[in-house]
Amino acid sequence: MRMGQQLSAPTWDPVCRMTVVRGQAKGGAHVHDGVEWWFCNPKCREKFIAAPASYFAAKDPVCGMDVDVRAPKATVPHGKHTFFFCGAGCAERFAVSPDAFLVKLRAAAPPPPSAPAGAVWICPMCPEVRESKPVPCPVCGMALEPETPLPPGAAAANPELADMTRRLVVGLAFSVPLVALAMGGMLPGAVGHALASAAWSGWAQLFLSLPVVAWVGAPFFARAWRSLVSRRFNMFTLIGLGTAVAFLFSVVALLAPAMLPASAHGHGGQPPLYFESSAVILTLAALGQVLELRARARTSRALEALMELAPTVARRVRDDGQDEDVPLDAVHPGDRLRVRPGEKVPVDGVVVEGASAVDESMVTGESLPVEKSRGAKVVGGTVNGAGSFVMRAEKVGRDTLLAQVVQRVAEAQRSRAPLQKLADRVAAVFVPAVVSVAALAAVAWLAFGPEPRLAHALVNAVAVLIIACPCALGLATPISVMVAVGRGARLGVLIRNAEALEALARVDTLVVDKTGTLTEGRPSLVEVKSFSGGELELLTAAASVERASEHPLAAAVLSGAQARGATPHEVTDFHATPGQGLKATLDGAAVLVGHDGFLSAHGVDVTAAKETAEAWRRQGRTVVFVAKGGALLGVLGVEDPVKATTPEALAALKAEGVRVVMVTGDARATAEAVAKRLGLEEVRAEVLPEGKFQVVKELLAQGRAVAMAGDGVNDAPALAAATVGIAMGTGTDLAKETAAVTLVKGDLRGIVRARRLGRATVRNIRQNLGWAFGYNTLGVPLAAGALFPFFGLLLSPMVAAAAMSLSSVSVISNALRLSRVRL
């Protein structure tokens, strides 16, 4: 007998170990290896189905041995949970004093989920760095970030933030009394005098500062050393130099005060000590790191929320008709999956049985459920309503829309905008320049400053090194881009990279396709006129040929003909001429369906239908000519309704000075009718795919910043050629892959929002860069002592450190305003 068959139905949830009642557990049951397991909630059930083997091992809380929950020697319920033991003795000891053993059990809790195999880790500051594990960056020392989004459980663990928070707490604990002790001489009365003159004061300051410098400052010194070795200077170079100089000078002054000239000693002959400066600077640097890490974590919340939308389990229908729950990783294209009421759609696919209403607000933002029946497409992560249906999986894993959304947002948050490249080039020369200024300031104070010259030289050199730390400079662009991309994702605008954001801000011309972009992309048959043979024969011939076509108009003609009582027949010798028409044989006669030019080229006289066709085209309808046996049967009028939101979007773009050009392969009369209805003045009609590409190139040659919006395969070349390509989320995969921006809802108002977001982002980045450069330009001379000859004012290293941190906080706060800007 197998171990799994020794239990008929355990009374505990194998995931959370909560005690459950068979037949009444909210999470339902699942049979695995002959055992029926019950769960306290559906989430535990999904976790178990995804990886059952990982939940079979438990720790004996008394002796710490591993116990197989499928065959424990003893179990003891305590509170709401069940605990497992290797033998009766451990169970008895636990029952006497459970709380004493639970503390040890919690300490031995399993670590959070780790990154998947093959994960790549990159540095946000050094894009050339790629590592197989999250080690510090070998160039700058910063913690690496995953290239692809981690599972929510793994992403929740942020060891760098936890570690830096601990260092901040320790730094504060030692720095506060250190500052009080060091500044005691400034207090009035006997207490201040006693603190200032106490012989033990210097030693107390050394011991209070030592943990801060040795432990709190360890990561900063490590990063500073790496920057010196690699000659890639950054803000950590300045922090390391400034605090190391201040601390080492203070140690020398305390241990060997005689080595310093008499002019370097302060009031009462006390040596100059700057232990508090080193400690406070490192503590403030830790505070800045904590603020930055928390800000980066906040910008990733939308990403984690998107990842959690996907279920972890799917209900697959086997060939014998039975259902089985399988992990999402085990689902393959072509699998038949059952989606029950209230469940999430597991992957992207097509409904093959049943019907329901699905909440697609995750994709479209619309609150009303969408009716789904046989042949309808469904998207993974959306929520099924009251009905039940069977779907065929088409896209799984990284190919699903939800996975692409997650990946697109992650890539954009790591991208580097052209403005950031400028900032990086400036920063590369900024650090050595600041070090040079600090050295010159020290020399100037030593040569021309008042006594004590050495102390003044040290104070001002350290102040220059600290206030010039380019924290704000390094944050100026990335934090704005991350916030903007997250804001765009919430608005249904997926932005591939930071370059796309800047390109959107510069756009002054929009080239837009008609079908599926300006219009719904779901044409319908609205007019039928026969010239010979009768209406039924006309519709039957058209439907028979169109049934074999994948053209968007084919479905409209076929469904419209069937609705009017026509029954399509089988055809032979089917042939399609792209952009022209269709030809097939029906009942031994050649049938032609397409443009009037296509029929004329095959010898069909279409003169009788010319007037009708022109009248329909002026109304914005597409005209389909049908001939059989060389004679014209009649014409069909197909209309693709304009999206309800299109007029509003175009009006907003024109009001903002954007030139809108409609480019379509449709007939000129039809295109001009739609353009007139929408108030568009520039129309390029009857344009083939390469023609759209040429239109974009022509506008670019004129110096225009061109955005191309389209949804089909034929738009892909133009999307790639444009300054920024914008794909409709309802369009083809190729269009979405080619474009830099995707409108999830296919709503042109998204272009208005995206352009406004791009302009707001560029404006925000420029504000951040201006603040960072202006801050350093003003702060460095002040720290060097530029005001001393005129006003007798000097900038303390501690004040410089506080100003540096406040500069970073200002940049972060300014960037976070993008999450609230009106679009």
Side-chain angles (χ1 to χ4, degrees):
M1 180 179 293
R2 291 179 299 176
M3 183 177 293
Q5 294 176 320
Q6 294 177 2
L7 296 172
S8 59
T11 56
W12 59 84
D13 184 321
V15 176
C16 64
R17 311 289 161 75
M18 287 188 66
T19 303
V20 295
V21 179
R22 303 185 190 101
Q24 300 180 20
K26 294 181 179 179
H30 175 72
V31 178
H32 175 79
D33 201 17
V35 177
E36 185 180 55
W37 299 89
W38 289 84
F39 303 88
C40 66
N41 62 65
K43 201 67 179 177
C44 282
R45 180 172 172 271
E46 289 185 6
K47 289 181 179 179
F48 180 81
I49 295 171
S54 60
Y55 298 105
F56 288 150
K59 287 284 185 184
D60 184 322
V62 176
C63 66
M65 289 183 61
D66 288 329
V67 180
D68 192 320
V69 300
R70 295 170 295 182
K73 299 295 183 181
T75 61
V76 174
H78 175 70
K80 296 182 178 180
H81 295 80
T82 298
F83 297 90
F84 308 89
F85 302 90
C86 64
C90 286
E92 291 174 0
R93 293 178 60 190
F94 179 84
V96 173
S97 180
D99 292 336
F101 296 104
L102 290 180
V103 174
K104 183 170 63 174
L105 184 65
R106 295 189 188 102
S114 59
V120 176
W121 302 79
I122 61 175
C123 176
M125 297 296 290
C126 311
E128 73 276 10
V129 173
R130 297 175 64 86
E131 298 288 342
S132 59
K133 52 186 177 180
V135 296
C137 175
V139 176
C140 68
M142 288 188 67
L144 301 185
E145 296 180 349
E147 184 178 38
T148 56
L150 298 180
N158 191 336
E160 185 184 13
L161 176 58
D163 176 69
M164 198 57 69
T165 302
R166 286 193 295 269
R167 294 179 192 273
L168 173 62
V169 171
V170 171
L172 288 172
F174 284 94
S175 296
V176 171
L178 175 59
V179 170
L181 185 61
M183 300 301 176
M186 299 181 181
L187 298 176
V191 175
H193 178 74
L195 288 175
S197 59
W200 51 265
S201 175
W203 293 98
Q205 292 180 47
L206 170 62
F207 287 115
L208 285 172
S209 65
L210 195 57
V212 181
V213 174
W215 189 67
V216 176
F220 303 112
F221 291 129
R223 295 175 185 180
W225 176 252
R226 287 192 183 94
S227 70
L228 292 172
V229 171
S230 64
R231 298 182 183 179
R232 298 279 293 272
F233 305 123
N234 51 47
M235 61 180 179
F236 302 113
T237 314
L238 297 178
I239 292 175
L241 287 174
T243 54
V245 168
F247 181 78
L248 292 176
F249 179 86
S250 301
V251 171
V252 172
L254 179 65
L255 297 179
M259 293 180 61
L260 300 178
S263 59
H265 291 263
H267 177 72
Q270 295 296 322
L273 302 179
Y274 300 99
F275 292 119
E276 83 286 357
S277 296
S278 296
V280 171
I281 287 166
L282 290 171
T283 301
L284 289 173
L287 173 62
Q289 287 295 291
V290 169
L291 292 174
E292 178 184 347
L293 291 168
R294 286 184 176 177
R296 282 159 54 185
R298 284 199 300 271
T299 59
S300 300
R301 286 176 184 170
L303 187 64
E304 293 180 6
L306 284 172
M307 295 176 68
E308 291 177 351
L309 288 175
T312 57
V313 174
R315 180 171 289 262
R316 183 164 59 193
V317 181
R318 299 197 305 241
D319 293 339
D320 60 3
Q322 297 298 313
D323 294 350
E324 61 175 343
D325 289 323
V326 297
L328 204 61
D329 295 341
V331 176
H332 303 286
D335 285 352
R336 298 171 74 241
L337 309 173
R338 189 181 306 280
V339 183
R340 297 178 298 182
E343 292 183 338
K344 291 182 179 179
V345 177
V347 296
D348 296 358
V350 176
V351 177
V352 294
E353 294 179 18
S356 184
V358 178
D359 179 1
E360 294 188 332
S361 58
M362 181 270 292
V363 177
T364 65
E366 300 295 335
S367 58
L368 293 177
V370 180
E371 296 293 332
K372 299 291 182 181
S373 57
R374 185 185 178 101
K377 290 186 176 294
V378 288
V379 178
T382 56
V383 182
N384 184 30
S388 177
F389 60 87
V390 176
M391 61 175 287
R392 182 179 67 251
E394 289 190 339
K395 295 180 180 180
V396 301
R398 295 184 179 180
D399 295 330
T400 64
L401 174 63
L402 181 59
Q404 291 175 2
V405 169
V406 171
Q407 187 62 31
R408 181 80 51 96
V409 173
E411 289 174 359
Q413 288 182 341
R414 293 194 308 268
S415 60
R416 299 161 69 83
L419 283 175
Q420 176 63 31
K421 296 173 184 176
L422 171 64
D424 291 343
R425 288 196 299 269
V426 173
V429 298
F430 181 75
V431 172
V434 168
V435 173
S436 300
V437 170
L440 290 174
V443 171
W445 277 95
L446 285 172
F448 308 107
E451 298 295 342
R453 293 180 179 179
L454 183 60
H456 282 139
L458 175 64
V459 167
N460 288 281
V462 170
V464 169
L465 292 173
I466 296 306
I467 201 168
C469 288
C471 300
L473 191 64
L475 287 172
T477 296
I479 196 69
S480 295
V481 171
M482 292 169 70
V483 174
V485 168
R487 176 71 187 279
R490 293 196 300 272
L491 294 172
V493 180
L494 307 182
I495 301 168
R496 186 185 295 273
N497 49 41
E499 285 80 359
L501 272 171
E502 292 195 24
L504 283 167
R506 294 186 287 113
V507 164
D508 56 19
T509 304
L510 172 64
V511 176
V512 61
D513 178 46
K514 181 179 77 69
T515 304
T517 304
L518 296 176
T519 64
E520 294 284 355
R522 295 190 297 269
S524 58
L525 181 61
V526 295
E527 290 280 3
V528 179
K529 185 171 184 179
S530 65
F531 291 93
S532 65
E535 183 175 302
L536 184 60
E537 182 180 356
L538 166 63
L539 292 172
T540 300
S544 299
V545 177
E546 293 283 18
R547 186 168 62 170
S549 172
E550 295 180 354
H551 193 278
L553 296 180
V557 172
L558 181 59
S559 61
Q562 291 176 323
R564 289 168 171 81
T567 302
H569 299 164
E570 292 295 328
V571 297
T572 57
D573 303 324
F574 176 83
H575 178 73
T577 302
Q580 299 295 320
L582 310 172
K583 181 181 180 181
T585 300
L586 174 63
D587 300 330
V591 178
L592 301 172
V593 180
H595 290 313
D596 50 353
F598 177 70
L599 271 66
S600 296
H602 286 79
V604 178
D605 184 6
V606 296
T607 306
K610 283 289 188 180
E611 184 177 347
T612 300
E614 288 303 317
W616 287 358
R617 284 168 178 162
R618 285 194 294 271
Q619 297 175 39
R621 295 169 182 166
T622 299
V623 181
V624 179
F625 290 75
V626 183
K628 183 178 182 182
L632 180 67
L633 290 181
V635 288
L636 308 175
V638 179
E639 185 174 276
D640 185 7
V642 172
K643 293 178 181 176
T645 57
T646 295
E648 177 188 344
L650 294 179
L653 288 168
K654 292 173 69 176
E656 294 181 6
V658 177
R659 173 185 175 187
V660 182
V661 182
M662 186 175 80
V663 181
T664 177
D666 211 342
R668 176 165 299 278
T670 304
E672 289 179 348
V674 173
K676 184 177 180 180
R677 190 185 310 170
L678 295 174
L680 298 178
E681 299 173 356
E682 294 188 63
V683 181
R684 308 284 183 91
E686 300 176 358
V687 177
L688 297 177
E690 57 268 24
K692 295 182 179 181
F693 175 81
Q694 291 301 328
V695 169
V696 171
K697 298 293 285 185
E698 173 189 326
L699 291 168
L700 290 172
Q702 297 173 8
R704 315 285 299 190
V706 182
M708 168 66 193
D711 72 328
V713 174
N714 60 338
D715 299 319
L719 289 170
T723 307
V724 56
I726 303 174
M728 302 295 108
T730 53
T732 64
D733 291 340
L734 180 58
K736 287 182 280 189
E737 284 300 317
T738 307
V741 176
T742 299
L743 306 182
V744 174
K745 304 176 185 178
D747 183 347
L748 283 184
R749 290 179 300 180
I751 298 180
V752 182
R753 299 188 187 104
R755 185 172 178 272
R756 291 172 180 170
L757 179 62
R759 297 177 69 182
T761 303
V762 170
R763 185 166 57 248
N764 193 272
I765 291 173
R766 286 174 176 164
Q767 291 169 353
N768 287 347
L769 290 176
W771 168 259
F773 285 127
Y775 159 81
N776 285 298
T777 301
L778 178 64
V780 168
L782 293 178
L787 295 180
F788 186 81
F790 307 101
F791 304 103
L793 297 178
L794 289 176
L795 202 62
S796 165
M798 285 187 294
V799 176
M804 177 266 292
S805 292
L806 288 174
S807 175
S808 297
V809 172
S810 299
V811 166
I812 292 172
S813 301
N814 187 48
L816 290 176
R817 288 192 308 111
L818 285 172
S819 63
R820 301 184 301 272
V821 67
R822 294 187 63 182
L823 300 175

